Amino acid sequence: MKQVYPITIGQVTDMHLFASEQQQLLGIPTMDSFHAVIERLKKLREELDLLLLTGDLSGDGTPQSYSNLQNLISSLFLPSYWLPGNHDDFATMSEVLNLGLVSRRKCFERGGWNFVLLDSSVAGKAHGYLRQETLEWLDLQLSKIVDKPTAIAIHHPPFKVNSRWLDKSQLQNSEEFFAVLDKYPQVRLVLFGHIHQEFYTQRRGVDYLGTPSTCIQFQPGSKKFALERKPPGFRLMKLYPNGTWESWVERVPYFHTVELVANG
C-alpha cells in the first residue's frame, strides 16, 4: 500500500510588530515575543513545508515593521504567504513582503491541497468585510480546482466567539462568505486570526480554526476587553492529500508582564 505523506504548515498570526523593535503592545515587546516563536519554528524547520501569516503582522503599518518581519521570517528558509489584518497596510506589505521565499501570492497548491488567502480588512476599521470583488474572486478560484481539498485563510472570524467586545469586530458579511463556500465541498478548512486565542467550530462539514497571537492573548468569553496570562502561540497542521487533517496549538516559553487593562 502506498504511504500517504501529509504537508505540515505553521499558522502564525497577530504579531503586531512596530518600526521600533523596542516598542511594546500593552506591556509586551512584540518583537521579542515573535522572536521566541521564530526560535521554536527554527527547531521545527525540517518538519515544516510552509508558513501562513494571517494578518495584523504590523502594529503601525510602517515599511520598517514589515522589514523587521521579512528579516525574521527569511531566517527560516520556508515558503511563507501572508494576508492583511485590520492593523496592516496592504500596499506597504505588498512592496516589502515579496523577497526570497516570502510571497504575496494569494492562491497556490501544495501537497495535494489548494490554498486561498483572502483580504477581509477595511481601512480604518477593526471589523472585517469581504468586498464583492473578493467574493467573486474566491468563487472563481474554487471553481477552478474542485478535485483537491482546500484551505482558506482570512484574518477576521466569520463567527462570534462568545466575547461581547471582540464579536463587534468579526467578519460583517459572513453569510455572503458562507454562500460561496457552500457551493464547493472541497473546502475543508478555514483558518483565521484576530481573536488572539484558540477557537474551533464546524459548519456544514467545514472546520474553522482560530489561532493565538504571537504576543498578547485575549481572555476567552470576556464581555469587556481583557487579557489572559498565557504565553505566545502559533498553530501547526498536518494536511493529508485525502482531505483529512490534524492540528494543534503550540505555545512558547516567553513570559512578560502585561497590562491587563487597556490605556485610555
Side-chain angles (χ1 to χ4, degrees), residues 83-103:
L83 58 86
N86 50 290
H87 287 278
D88 287 310
D89 183 291
F90 183 78
T92 306
M93 298 172 87
S94 297
E95 185 176 337
V96 178
L97 298 177
N98 193 36
L99 295 174
L101 294 176
V102 181
S103 173

Side-chain angles (χ1 to χ4, degrees), residues 8-144:
T8 303
I9 71 174
Q11 181 198 2
V12 183
T13 194
D14 295 270
M15 293 81 104
H16 291 269
L17 301 183
F18 298 95
S20 168
E21 297 184 16
Q22 286 73 46
Q23 189 164 340
Q24 298 183 353
L25 178 65
L26 297 176
I28 284 192
T30 58
M31 191 68 168
D32 287 355
S33 61
F34 183 50
H35 191 270
V37 169
I38 289 290
E39 289 304 305
R40 175 57 181 154
L41 290 170
K42 284 181 178 178
K43 294 179 180 178
L44 298 170
R45 169 67 184 83
E46 296 304 315
E47 304 171 32
L48 290 169
D49 294 290
L50 65 90
L51 291 182
L52 293 178
L53 315 177
T54 54
D56 281 359
L57 315 187
S58 173
D60 57 13
T62 59
Q64 186 59 50
S65 68
Y66 296 119
S67 292
N68 294 340
L69 172 64
Q70 173 83 45
N71 291 337
L72 277 176
I73 290 293
S74 294
S75 69
L76 296 171
F77 299 101
L78 280 170
S80 301
Y81 303 85
W82 56 265
L83 58 86
N86 50 290
H87 287 278
D88 287 310
D89 183 291
F90 183 78
T92 306
M93 298 172 87
S94 297
E95 185 176 337
V96 178
L97 298 177
N98 193 36
L99 295 174
L101 294 176
V102 181
S103 173
R104 57 188 176 195
R105 290 179 61 195
K106 298 296 179 275
C107 187
F108 58 93
E109 294 179 59
R110 188 67 65 88
W113 278 68
N114 190 36
F115 295 83
V116 183
L117 281 56
L118 302 176
D119 178 4
S120 60
S121 63
V122 181
K125 303 293 183 181
H127 67 253
Y129 188 86
L130 290 171
R131 293 176 291 278
Q132 185 60 35
E133 55 265 36
T134 303
L135 291 166
E136 292 173 358
W137 178 81
L138 171 63
D139 198 351
L140 176 63
Q141 300 308 315
L142 294 178
S143 70
K144 288 180 178 178

